[in-house]
């Protein structure tokens, strides 16, 4: 089967893309608005794009021509924190995927602990073992055939990395048995690392 993306319904494209581009890391992104209200939401359209300088990227959908709270906050403050998701916090992460108003503090909603960052105002999730404090260095909107802005891509430079000593090995390697990251699949499905194998580069 082949699909011409110009002729395929967006809902079908969504199913095909999220079902084939797997597993995807989850960026659990915390921000803060001008009133000091915390926001916390997961994004599986997320990854690293550079190590020098260290940068990450995430994108967020714009439904009904409306920004999500995360995007509004990032555009207003140019700051955010990426908290990475592990097996220990996957239920709390799922709680923060709810569509609630900007006046709701998702840290409270998910019963996770906000802690101060070093270089940005956005709080970190204490229960997460990895945090990246980021400043936005670029963003751009993606438009559909009618010219509507349907998504926004945000690139952030990592200013400070916080990695729990419990998951660190010698020579700055990560202990995967203790890290236990969770990845996003399609629908309601998630994955853990499962069986690992190695292939040496030629």
């Amino acid at each position: 089967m082949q699909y011409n993306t110009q002729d395929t319904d967006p809902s079908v494209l969504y199913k095909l893309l999220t079902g084939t581009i797997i597993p995807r890391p989850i960026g659990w992104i915390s921000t803060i608005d001008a009133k000091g209200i915390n926001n916390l939401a997961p994004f599986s359209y997320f990854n690293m794009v550079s190590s020098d300088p260290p940068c990450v990227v995430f994108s967020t959908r714009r439904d009904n021509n409306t920004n999500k709270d995360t995007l509004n906050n990032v555009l207003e403050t140019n700051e955010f924190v990426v908290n990475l998701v592990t097996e220990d916090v996957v239920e709390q992460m799922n709680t923060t995927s709810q569509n609630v108003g900007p006046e709701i503090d998702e840290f409270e909603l998910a019963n996770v602990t906000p802690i101060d960052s070093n270089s940005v105002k956005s709080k970190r999730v204490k229960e997460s073992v990895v945090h990246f404090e980021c400043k936005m260095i670029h963003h751009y909107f993606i438009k559909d055939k009618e010219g509507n802005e349907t998504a926004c891509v945000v690139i952030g430079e990592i200013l400070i990395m916080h990695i729990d000593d419990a998951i660190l090995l010698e020579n700055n390697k990560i202990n995967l048995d203790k890290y236990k990251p969770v990845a996003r699949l399609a629908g309601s499905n998630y994955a853990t690392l499962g069986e690992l194998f190695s292939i040496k580069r030629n």
Side-chain angles (χ1 to χ4, degrees):
M1 178 70 72
Q2 69 179 23
Y3 300 84
N4 184 325
T5 61
Q6 303 302 308
D7 301 328
T8 306
D9 188 273
S11 64
V12 174
L13 294 175
Y14 174 80
K15 289 182 180 179
L16 293 172
L17 289 169
T18 58
T20 55
I21 302 175
I22 57 173
R24 300 187 303 279
I26 305 167
W28 200 13
I29 296 177
S30 50
T31 57
I32 194 167
D33 69 13
K35 298 179 181 177
I37 299 176
N38 295 317
N39 181 267
L40 182 62
F43 294 86
S44 68
Y45 293 5
F46 162 78
N47 218 311
M48 60 177 285
V49 291
S50 171
S51 57
D52 185 16
C55 293
V56 292
V57 62
F58 77 94
S59 69
T60 171
R61 291 192 339 228
R62 298 185 73 252
D63 298 325
N64 301 315
N65 202 35
T66 302
N67 290 346
K68 293 184 180 294
D69 296 335
T70 298
L71 180 57
N72 281 332
N73 293 345
V74 171
L75 294 178
E76 184 174 36
T77 66
N78 292 315
E79 298 178 348
F80 60 96
V81 173
V82 177
N83 308 273
L84 293 180
V85 178
T86 61
E87 294 178 33
D88 290 338
V89 295
V90 68
E91 292 291 344
Q92 292 94 323
M93 176 278 297
N94 187 52
T95 297
T96 63
S97 67
Q98 298 179 51
N99 187 15
V100 297
E103 73 282 359
I104 302 299
D105 184 329
E106 283 90 352
F107 280 84
E108 296 179 1
L109 186 67
N111 195 29
V112 292
T113 311
I115 56 175
D116 289 338
S117 297
N118 292 54
S119 61
V120 299
K121 291 183 179 178
S122 302
K123 302 294 185 179
R124 297 179 286 137
V125 177
K126 181 180 180 181
E127 289 79 6
S128 177
V129 294
V130 179
H131 319 109
F132 300 148
E133 298 183 22
C134 302
K135 68 172 181 179
M136 182 180 69
I137 59 172
H138 185 57
H139 76 280
Y140 62 94
F141 289 91
I142 297 174
K143 298 180 180 180
D144 64 12
K145 300 171 188 175
E146 287 74 41
N148 300 308
E149 295 176 340
T150 57
C152 184
V153 176
V154 175
I155 297 176
E157 181 178 347
I158 302 172
L159 303 178
I160 296 180
M161 303 171 66
H162 302 264
I163 301 178
D164 195 308
D165 290 344
I167 69 169
L168 280 173
L169 296 171
E170 292 182 5
N171 198 27
N172 298 309
K173 293 182 179 180
I174 302 298
N175 186 328
L176 297 179
D177 291 331
K178 293 185 177 180
Y179 182 21
K180 298 182 179 179
V182 170
R184 189 77 166 90
L185 303 178
S188 300
N189 296 320
Y190 294 83
T192 56
L193 289 182
E195 183 179 352
L196 305 181
F197 63 93
S198 299
I199 300 178
K200 291 184 178 180
R201 292 187 181 185
N202 294 328

